[in-house]
């Protein structure tokens, strides 16, 4: 008996263009009511949410309605004066995920001097473990996402020399699987999001020689479903965020042309909310800044006009990476 593929069915009346004005209004209006229940319930990802929203606006050639100074001031209040790390929200514990998001925002705004960057460097340096891996925070969770966050943050700050890069590379290499993919730890299942983190890590550390280029690129291309959308691993539904995780990895590997680009564009367009603006994970679902930035970034990689060129390693505007003179490695 044939195996049924999990997928979604697209409608026949998809708007095949980016609704820029609606998306800009959606991002600027999102999460502005501090008395809203959802505002309080999302404290744990506030800084990362700001990165998603502000990057989306930048890719659409727009700026935050509340102004950049207010954004920078909020980030300053989220830095822990003792550890140097940055938290998701004022009064929360610092974490490497939000530390990276804050540094990315400040790098985009040319405001890295607004925080104690030496404190950030000490914080990340202190999270490296004897085997080269990185903990996410003081509680000690280990994940290849955190290895990626560490090297990206330090590269933006031009402080890569404070960690043991060789051991960090060895740990990521130990997470490679037989299918060419990478997991969160050694022997963990390959996943498109974690593959992006590991490939991005190796791009920054100039060690893409570790990657099985053709095997991994083929695994990533197999994530494309009949709808044109991409999933994160076999037997899962497509999701707009994987448009970024998969395409960025394929771009770094020099195999972006292996994807059916037009089919993927159609899927991404179908995930737009034509009434409120924003992108959802799948057609008909509720839009949010997370899927909005990754939908726009994927379209940028596919060459969509009027969207700023995005860097496939850093998920930041390419002009910022050029200005910082960062040169991640890419394969041909």
């Amino acid at each position: 008996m044939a195996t049924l593929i999990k997928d979604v069915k697209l409608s026949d009346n998809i708007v095949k263009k980016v609704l820029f004005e609606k998306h800009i209004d959606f991002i600027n209006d999102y999460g502005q009511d501090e008395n809203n229940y959802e505002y309080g319930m999302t404290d744990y990802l506030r800084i990362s949410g700001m990165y998603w929203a502000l990057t989306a606006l930048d890719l659409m050639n727009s700026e935050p309605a509340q102004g950049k100074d207010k954004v920078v001031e909020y980030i300053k209040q989220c830095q822990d004066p003792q550890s140097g790390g940055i938290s998701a929200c004022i009064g929360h514990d610092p974490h490497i995920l939000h530390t990276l998001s804050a540094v990315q925002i400040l790098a985009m705004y040319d405001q890295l001097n607004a925080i104690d960057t030496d404190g950030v460097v000490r914080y990340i340096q202190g999270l490296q473990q004897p085997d080269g891996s990185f903990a996410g925070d003081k509680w000690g969770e280990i994940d290849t996402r955190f290895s990626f966050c560490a090297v990206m943050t330090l590269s933006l700050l031009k402080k890569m020399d404070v960690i043991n890069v060789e051991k960090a590379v060895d740990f990521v290499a130990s997470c490679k699987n037989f299918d060419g993919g990478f997991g969160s730890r050694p022997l963990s299942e390959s996943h498109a999001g974690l593959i992006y983190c590991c490939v991005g890590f190796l791009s920054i550390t100039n060690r893409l020689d570790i990657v099985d280029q053709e095997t991994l690129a083929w695994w990533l291309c197999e994530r494309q479903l009949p709808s044109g959308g991409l999933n994160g691993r076999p037997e899962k539904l497509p999701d707009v965020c994987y448009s970024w995780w998969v395409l960025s990895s394929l771009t770094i590997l020099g195999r972006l042309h292996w994807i059916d680009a037009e089919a993927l564009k159609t899927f991404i367009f179908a995930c737009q909310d034509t009434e409120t603006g924003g992108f959802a994970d799948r057609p008909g679902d509720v839009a949010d800044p997370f899927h909005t930035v990754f939908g726009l970034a994927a379209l940028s990689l596919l060459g969509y006009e009027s969207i700023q060129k995005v860097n496939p390693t850093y998920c930041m505007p390419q002009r910022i990476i050029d200005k910082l003179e960062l040169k991640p490695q890419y394969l041909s």
Side-chain angles (χ1 to χ4, degrees):
M1 180 170 24
T3 301
L4 295 177
I5 298 175
K6 293 183 179 179
D7 201 1
V8 297
K9 184 174 177 56
L10 304 184
S11 69
D12 296 326
N13 57 346
I14 298 169
V15 177
K16 294 188 177 183
K17 64 178 182 179
V18 177
L19 305 172
F20 287 108
E21 290 187 10
K22 287 185 178 291
H23 299 325
I24 290 171
D25 289 343
F26 170 78
I27 290 294
N28 277 321
D29 291 342
Y30 197 90
Q32 294 304 306
D33 184 2
E34 295 185 11
N35 297 314
N36 184 281
Y37 173 78
E38 290 183 354
Y39 185 93
M41 291 300 291
T42 55
D43 277 355
Y44 68 96
L45 50 69
R46 181 81 61 230
I47 289 287
S48 289
M50 289 169 62
Y51 158 73
W52 302 329
L54 297 171
T55 304
L57 287 175
D58 198 296
L59 292 176
M60 292 187 290
N61 302 287
S62 184
E63 294 188 353
Q66 71 270 38
K68 295 179 180 179
D69 290 344
K70 187 175 179 181
V71 170
V72 173
E73 186 58 36
Y74 186 83
I75 291 173
K76 287 168 62 177
Q77 295 179 68
C78 291
Q79 184 168 27
D80 177 31
Q82 293 184 325
S83 69
I86 298 173
S87 62
C89 186
I90 298 171
H92 285 221
D93 289 339
H95 195 284
I96 199 168
L97 290 171
H98 310 299
T99 300
L100 169 60
S101 293
V103 169
Q104 287 176 291
I105 294 168
L106 295 174
M108 283 196 296
Y109 292 169
D110 195 21
Q111 290 288 328
L112 285 171
N113 60 355
I115 58 170
D116 176 11
T117 54
D118 289 339
V120 169
V121 171
R122 288 195 308 272
Y123 176 69
I124 293 177
Q125 183 182 38
L127 292 174
Q128 188 169 29
Q129 307 303 300
D131 66 352
S133 65
F134 284 83
D137 58 15
K138 64 182 181 181
W139 304 110
E141 180 188 5
I142 304 298
D143 192 306
T144 47
R145 289 179 302 155
F146 308 148
S147 296
F148 183 43
C149 290
V151 299
M152 186 188 290
T153 304
L154 293 176
S155 67
L156 288 168
L157 297 176
K158 307 295 180 67
K159 292 290 185 177
M160 284 282 287
D161 59 332
V162 304
I163 60 169
N164 189 324
V165 175
E166 185 177 354
K167 278 196 171 183
V169 169
D170 288 344
F171 175 75
V172 169
S174 74
C175 299
K176 186 171 71 170
N177 294 320
F178 72 94
D179 55 17
F182 293 82
S184 60
R185 295 185 182 188
L187 304 179
S188 295
E189 178 185 12
S190 294
H191 184 282
L194 295 166
I195 287 169
Y196 161 70
C197 291
C198 292
V199 170
F201 170 96
L202 296 171
S203 171
I204 292 172
T205 56
N206 198 33
R207 286 303 309 275
L208 286 172
D209 58 286
I210 287 170
V211 177
D212 297 330
Q213 182 181 16
E214 305 296 299
T215 303
L216 178 53
W218 181 253
W219 188 93
L220 289 166
C221 289
E222 286 186 323
R223 306 281 59 79
Q224 189 160 35
L225 299 168
S227 65
L230 300 165
N231 61 20
R233 52 199 169 108
E235 299 304 315
K236 297 295 182 180
L237 289 170
D239 186 320
V240 156
C241 68
Y242 294 114
S243 302
W244 169 257
W245 312 128
V246 173
L247 286 194
S248 57
S249 298
L250 286 172
T251 301
I252 294 170
L253 297 174
R255 295 294 181 269
L256 181 61
H257 59 285
W258 284 12
I259 282 286
D260 185 338
E262 292 306 312
L264 179 55
K265 284 181 186 177
T266 298
F267 175 81
I268 297 173
F269 292 144
C271 295
Q272 294 182 108
D273 190 316
T274 58
E275 295 182 7
T276 66
F279 291 76
D281 57 349
R282 284 179 282 278
D285 287 353
V286 178
D288 59 71
F290 176 85
H291 291 94
T292 300
V293 69
F294 292 127
L296 291 167
L299 289 172
S300 175
L301 290 180
L302 294 172
Y304 189 89
E305 60 184 15
S306 303
I307 297 179
Q308 285 270 348
K309 184 178 180 182
V310 70
N311 181 272
T313 300
Y314 288 84
C315 197
M316 294 169 62
Q318 182 62 48
R319 73 176 193 283
I320 303 300
I321 305 306
D322 291 340
K323 184 176 181 180
L324 292 172
E325 299 182 337
L326 297 172
K327 299 186 183 301
Q329 181 188 15
Y330 300 114
L331 300 179
S332 57

